[in-house]
Structures are given as structure tokens and as C-alpha cells.
Amino acid sequence: MSGPSFQYSRATNLRDALILASQPGTAFLAGGTDLLQLWKSGAIAPTAVVDISRLPLDHLEFLDGQLSLGSLARLSDVGSHPDVTRNHPLIASAILASASGQIRNMATLGGNLLQRTRCAYFRTEGLACNKRNPGSGCGALAGESRQAALFGASASCVATHASDLAVALAALDAEVEVFGGEGLRRFPLRDLYRLPAETPERDTHLTAGELITGIHVPNASRFVARSTYLKVRDRASFEPAVVSVAALLHVENGRIVEARLTAGGVAPLPWRLTRSEAVLVGRAPDAQAIAAAGDMAVEHARPLAHNGFKVALLRNAVIRALQTIGGQP
């Protein structure tokens, strides 16, 4: 039995990649760790594949406190790099919590950020899923919703984003660099992703043929002493987060000057907990302030029939993460 037919080509430069990917139904291939499993499950069926794995986009540069990463850098290389472990331990921790060692050896930064939001209905052929078959409905709304979102969902889709790295980068106010028909553009990572609304088949604001070329992380030296990535998952292996929290604190003279909190596993994109951040600023990192941040984190949660446990889990994860870094010198 033969598999599906498709056209394979290898890009020699960025302009070549853009031209080759201009046709509908084309997919980029880098590490292939997400593309191939979606293809095998029938969730996608590209008619053409453009191999970008040999483009010179695997750099890692640390200069004046700022980190610049090529989109084709491997997760394992970035997570173990001394400049990252020393100056951006949050990124290293999030990468270490991602997938398995074998997957991290193949997966690229860009591919990790562009993982499809998903749930069991998206991964299973024949079930109602607007992401897989627009207009078919969202089976999770009235069905199995254990992994469903607490925030940002819609009547069309309640799936969550799977990237641990994206959660850490969102907390660090990272920017992505994208190449497409309008040339090179750079914008905040938070503007990369879309909420599902009525078009859940579109996960990002990228246009056809655009690809991520780099990630830029601003100076975060003020957070190095107080940062953590906490991931709660069903088993300590290749599992997405049920709930995760990236937490950063900047404390001066016993008071919190700046706080960053982003949650994963609870929304279609990395979910910044701005109200929790605001309640912390100006206060000592004590039990009362931390509990208040936990309460604010779940204030507008909208659970479904089977994911109500995530409300308490998120609150406790925020508290645990802040307790971990709040008492550090």
C-alpha cells in the first residue's frame, strides 16, 4: 500500500523557501517532530514539503545581555548552552521540560513555537473538530474536556497550546523575527498567536509562506536570581503540560519591583497573568502577596465539565512557583 503523494523540495536560501512555499497546501520541514506525527494521524495532508533544515538559521548569540537565537537551532543545543543556562535559566528549564531527550535533539526552536494547538479530537480522525475539519463542530465542548482551555477559548475550539518554550519566552517579552513576502519583520511573540474565535484552523498570524527566522530575548539579568519554570503533567515523560507556570521576580530592598507570570496548558496560547503580576508589585514576596497572585490567576477562568480541577491546579502552581523564587536572596 503506497502512502500519500507529495512534492518534496529543498530550499537553498530564504527567498527560495518563500517561492517554493507560496502554493496552498505546502508545509515547511525542519526537525519534523511535530509535522510528521500530525501527518501520520491524518490531521494534515500537505501536497508539497519544503525542506528548510539546511538554511543557516541555527545561530546562538549573546551580546550586551541580549540573546539572539536562530529558528533552526535545536532545543537540546540551546537548552544546554552555557550562555543560556547562566543568563536565561528560565529558557533552559522550559526546554528541559519539553518532550524527551531524543525529540529535543531533533526539534527546532521555530518548530516548537509553531506546534498546533490540539486536543484528542484534533488528533483523532472522524471526530468533530473545527481545527481539523472547519465547520464540523468542537467535540470537546460537550465531550471529553480534561485538557481544555480555561481562558481564551471559543464556541469553535477549546484546545490548548503545547509549547513549554513559548510560555517562557512570553514571560521574557521575547520577539520573533519572520521572513515573508514583505521582507523581514520583527514583533512581540505574544502577537504571533491567534485566539480561536470563529477560525480555529488558524493558530498564528503568519501569512502563507512566512517562516520564523529568529527569536530575540531582551536583557533579563535582573531576573536571573529569581526565575523558575514549573510544569505539571500526567507523567514525567513526553507529555504536554496540564498546567505550567513561568515565573520571574525582580526584588529590591525586600519589595517586588517587577513580576512576570505566564501560564501554559490553560489557553490556546501562552497566557500572561497580568493581574497576578500587578498585585505583586510594591509588596514583599510573602505568603499574603503570593496567595493574592494565585487568586488573581484564576479569577476569570471558565472551566468545562471535566477540567474544573485545573482552576485549583493553576492557582496552586502559581503559588508554588512564587514560593520557590520568593525566598531567594
Side-chain angles (χ1 to χ4, degrees), residues 2 50 54 78 88 95 109 136 139 146-147 149 155 158 170 183 220 223-224 245 266-269 277 285 304 315:
S2 62
V50 178
R54 299 192 184 185
V78 175
H88 287 285
I95 288 176
L109 299 184
S136 63
R146 185 177 183 275
Q147 290 288 87
V158 295
F223 296 122
V224 169
V245 174
V266 297
L269 41 71
E277 294 173 352
L304 297 176
R315 179 184 182 276

Side-chain angles (χ1 to χ4, degrees), residues 156-174:
S156 297
C157 183
V158 295
T160 56
H161 198 268
S163 172
D164 294 292
L165 177 61
V167 177
L169 292 177
L172 289 162
D173 281 345

Side-chain angles (χ1 to χ4, degrees), residues 4-15:
S5 62
F6 63 95
Q7 180 180 354
Y8 170 86
S9 54
R10 177 178 291 159
T12 56
N13 54 57
L14 282 175
R15 182 62 62 182

Side-chain angles (χ1 to χ4, degrees), residues 211-280:
L211 61 96
I212 296 176
T213 55
I215 298 106
H216 302 278
V217 187
N219 190 314
S221 58
R222 62 197 183 280
F223 296 122
V224 169
R226 297 177 185 266
S227 69
T228 191
Y229 185 74
L230 174 62
K231 181 176 182 177
V232 182
R233 48 188 161 178
D234 289 327
R235 54 180 180 167
S237 62
F238 186 1
E239 286 286 333
V242 178
V243 164
S244 67
V245 174
L248 301 157
L249 289 179
H250 176 204
V251 178
E252 291 184 358
N253 301 318
R255 298 285 173 179
I256 299 170
V257 177
E258 188 177 3
R260 305 272 186 86
L261 288 164
T262 303
V266 297
L269 41 71
W271 196 256
R272 190 73 174 260
L273 302 172
T274 54
R275 291 175 64 81
S276 294
E277 294 173 352
V279 81
L280 289 168

Side-chain angles (χ1 to χ4, degrees), residues 3-8 23-29 34-50 116:
S5 62
F6 63 95
Q7 180 180 354
Y8 170 86
Q23 297 301 315
T26 302
F28 286 121
L29 173 66
D34 195 48
L35 174 70
L36 294 181
Q37 65 169 311
L38 294 178
W39 201 341
K40 287 179 180 179
S41 71
I44 61 172
T47 55
V49 172
V50 178
R116 299 296 306 274

